[in-house]
Amino acid sequence: MARLPRNNLKLNITSCQKLSSNTQRRSALIFRSLSSKPRLPATTTSLARNITPLPSYTTPFINRLVTTTSTISITSNPTTSTKMSTSSTTATGQNPHNRQPSPTTPPPWLTPFLSHLHSLPPPSRSFTLSTLHPLPPSFSSTSTPTPFSSTVPVLPRARTCIYRGLWAQLPTNDKNPAEFNPSVFESDLITFTTDARMEKAAEIVDTASGERIEEGGGMTGGGGPVEAVFWIESARDSESGEEKKVMTQWRVRGTAWLLGPDADGEGAAKVREVLRQRMRRVPDKTPQDEKTWSWSKEVTAHFGNLSPVMRGTFKGPPPGQPVAFPPGKGEELGQEVEDLQDEVARRNFRVVVIVPTEVDQVDLSDARRPRRWLYLWRGKSYQAREAGGEVEGEWEKVEVWP
């Protein structure tokens, strides 16, 4: 696999075909979106500039996922291959994707997190997903006002997503026609689904660690930093049925990975390696049982877990494209998809898996005594690094001031 030079960040910058007299305007719109649209041809633009290093903070727990760089080279990708980051380094100096044995115990934050989340009806299990949106140097010269500093080539982006369960533990659904994997694994990897043509998919790929980006050669890849924020104001007690005050915010920080229909392919091997290291085999299962578990089958089961109308959205017009431009053949709103192998819908459908490296819990249920805890993934180091921190399994737990 070809490697990019150190500290390089590779972007998919697309243009459009010359279909009308508005070609230049259309190209500018799509260029500014930086959205990966496989059906549109990519340009071969190469851009580079020097930037001021990101500030270093002395306050604990800040910018653990940011890698300081001195130069960023932004280039286009003439193919539709998905890039993947095989590893990334946090500000603590630990590599969260080192080759280590799979975790043996659930993280200490998982039980309270799931108890809060599962007490809500499924439609209410939403969260805010934040990503980084890369900008080309020429963006500041456009007529569109931009509130960004010339020293930081990214902007924050946030949107609401629906929680789809934990990876390898897809919730049962009687209306799901897909074949399920056997119950071999469990994990603490949060999942949601997205359209590969949406900006967040490109951002997850394009902001992967510039020092370790490789070509994925398919629809599966990623590795960019993300943060998922859950706010649980109240929940119904499972035993009494009474509404209780929760007032807790959960912030899950880590990297995100896109899984497509080629998740079992050779090009997705690095992604499978990263995710497998954070998957726990169910105690009564054996290594032989693992061979019956399929990554592609799990992706298809996620697709089947959606309603036919929701599946049909993956055959809609390209998200973010001006309605002034007609959609492609077969791209229409309001479609229903019954075929779980529908070619167009499956080409655009992705399962996104978040690999958490830090979880921030703030409990505001007692206004006079709010509390906050940080959970930091330590792998097999078994060493606390923060004052007052305690190691539980592969995680360090430390209480901090809210």
Side-chain angles (χ1 to χ4, degrees):
M1 296 184 181
R3 289 183 180 272
L4 292 179
R6 187 178 179 84
N7 289 336
N8 275 8
L9 182 65
K10 196 171 182 184
L11 301 179
N12 292 326
I13 304 176
T14 60
S15 64
C16 64
Q17 296 174 340
K18 298 181 179 180
L19 299 178
S20 68
S21 58
N22 295 326
T23 300
Q24 292 182 347
R25 172 59 178 163
R26 184 180 182 186
S27 297
L29 284 170
I30 298 178
F31 179 83
R32 284 199 291 270
S33 76
L34 292 182
S35 176
S36 294
K37 295 179 174 60
R39 74 182 191 88
L40 298 174
T43 64
T44 55
T45 306
S46 181
L47 305 170
R49 67 165 171 170
N50 291 328
I51 66 170
T52 303
L54 295 172
S56 58
Y57 295 91
T58 57
T59 304
F61 318 119
I62 295 181
N63 280 4
R64 295 182 182 277
L65 298 176
V66 176
T67 301
T68 301
T69 59
S70 58
T71 302
I72 288 184
S73 174
I74 305 177
T75 61
S76 65
N77 186 356
T79 70
T80 58
S81 298
T82 301
K83 302 183 299 301
M84 68 181 90
S85 169
T86 59
S87 61
S88 60
T89 305
T90 66
T92 63
Q94 183 182 12
N95 184 336
H97 301 318
N98 279 337
R99 294 173 178 268
Q100 301 187 39
S102 300
T104 56
T105 58
W109 55 268
L110 188 59
T111 297
F113 171 74
L114 292 180
S115 68
H116 289 171
L117 202 59
H118 290 173
S119 63
L120 303 176
S124 300
R125 298 172 189 174
S126 61
F127 62 94
T128 300
L129 177 76
S130 296
T131 56
L132 296 177
H133 183 83
L135 294 175
S138 61
F139 192 95
S140 59
S141 64
T142 66
S143 59
T144 304
T146 310
F148 82 101
S149 167
S150 60
T151 61
V152 181
V154 292
L155 283 177
R157 288 289 186 266
R159 76 285 289 165
T160 301
C161 298
I162 300 297
Y163 168 79
R164 301 294 182 183
L166 299 176
W167 177 246
Q169 295 175 263
L170 187 66
T172 58
N173 181 353
D174 294 338
K175 297 181 179 180
N176 188 345
E179 179 183 359
F180 275 56
N181 269 316
S183 181
V184 176
F185 296 108
E186 57 185 22
S187 76
D188 52 287
L189 311 179
I190 293 171
T191 66
F192 64 96
T193 59
T194 191
D195 192 311
R197 300 168 295 172
M198 288 186 173
E199 286 190 350
K200 62 176 171 291
E203 290 159 1
I204 288 171
V205 172
D206 292 335
T207 58
S209 174
E211 298 181 356
R212 286 164 288 276
I213 292 179
E214 297 182 357
E215 293 296 334
M219 302 179 182
T220 297
V226 298
E227 178 165 322
V229 182
F230 298 78
W231 169 249
I232 314 295
E233 184 168 350
S234 61
R236 190 171 299 279
D237 188 276
S238 58
E239 297 182 359
S240 65
E242 297 180 355
E243 196 79 9
K244 62 178 182 179
K245 183 171 65 173
V246 176
M247 303 292 289
T248 298
Q249 176 182 264
W250 293 91
R251 300 166 66 184
V252 181
R253 308 181 183 107
T255 55
W257 302 84
L258 303 168
L259 295 177
D262 62 343
D264 276 318
E266 182 179 353
K270 291 294 183 180
V271 176
R272 294 197 302 271
E273 178 184 332
V274 170
L275 299 184
R276 178 61 186 88
Q277 291 175 16
R278 298 291 296 274
M279 296 162 61
R280 302 178 297 276
R281 191 171 66 231
V282 175
D284 61 343
K285 301 299 179 180
T286 66
Q288 188 65 28
D289 294 322
E290 293 187 27
K291 298 179 180 179
T292 66
W293 199 90
S294 165
W295 296 77
S296 295
K297 183 184 292 185
E298 193 74 6
V299 173
T300 299
H302 272 270
F303 186 65
N305 224 36
L306 304 176
S307 68
V309 173
M310 188 64 190
R311 294 177 211 144
T313 62
F314 297 97
K315 297 184 69 174
Q321 179 172 291
V323 296
F325 305 110
K329 183 179 180 180
E331 295 178 340
E332 299 177 2
L333 295 176
Q335 298 188 68
E336 294 188 17
V337 172
E338 299 288 350
D339 182 7
L340 298 188
Q341 300 302 328
D342 184 278
E343 181 180 359
V344 177
R346 291 304 304 274
R347 182 173 67 239
N348 297 325
F349 175 77
R350 298 291 185 277
V351 176
V352 185
V353 182
I354 298 176
V355 178
T357 54
E358 181 173 323
V359 175
D360 187 333
Q361 176 190 6
V362 181
D363 184 350
L364 303 176
S365 58
D366 184 348
R368 294 182 177 275
R369 182 63 172 94
R371 302 184 70 180
R372 181 182 178 188
W373 297 268
L374 289 178
Y375 304 86
L376 311 169
W377 189 73
R378 297 304 188 203
K380 296 296 181 180
S381 66
Y382 300 116
Q383 294 182 352
R385 300 182 184 180
E386 309 296 343
E390 296 181 353
V391 173
E392 299 181 29
E394 287 77 29
W395 290 78
E396 178 181 357
K397 178 181 178 181
V398 56
E399 185 168 6
V400 298
W401 293 114

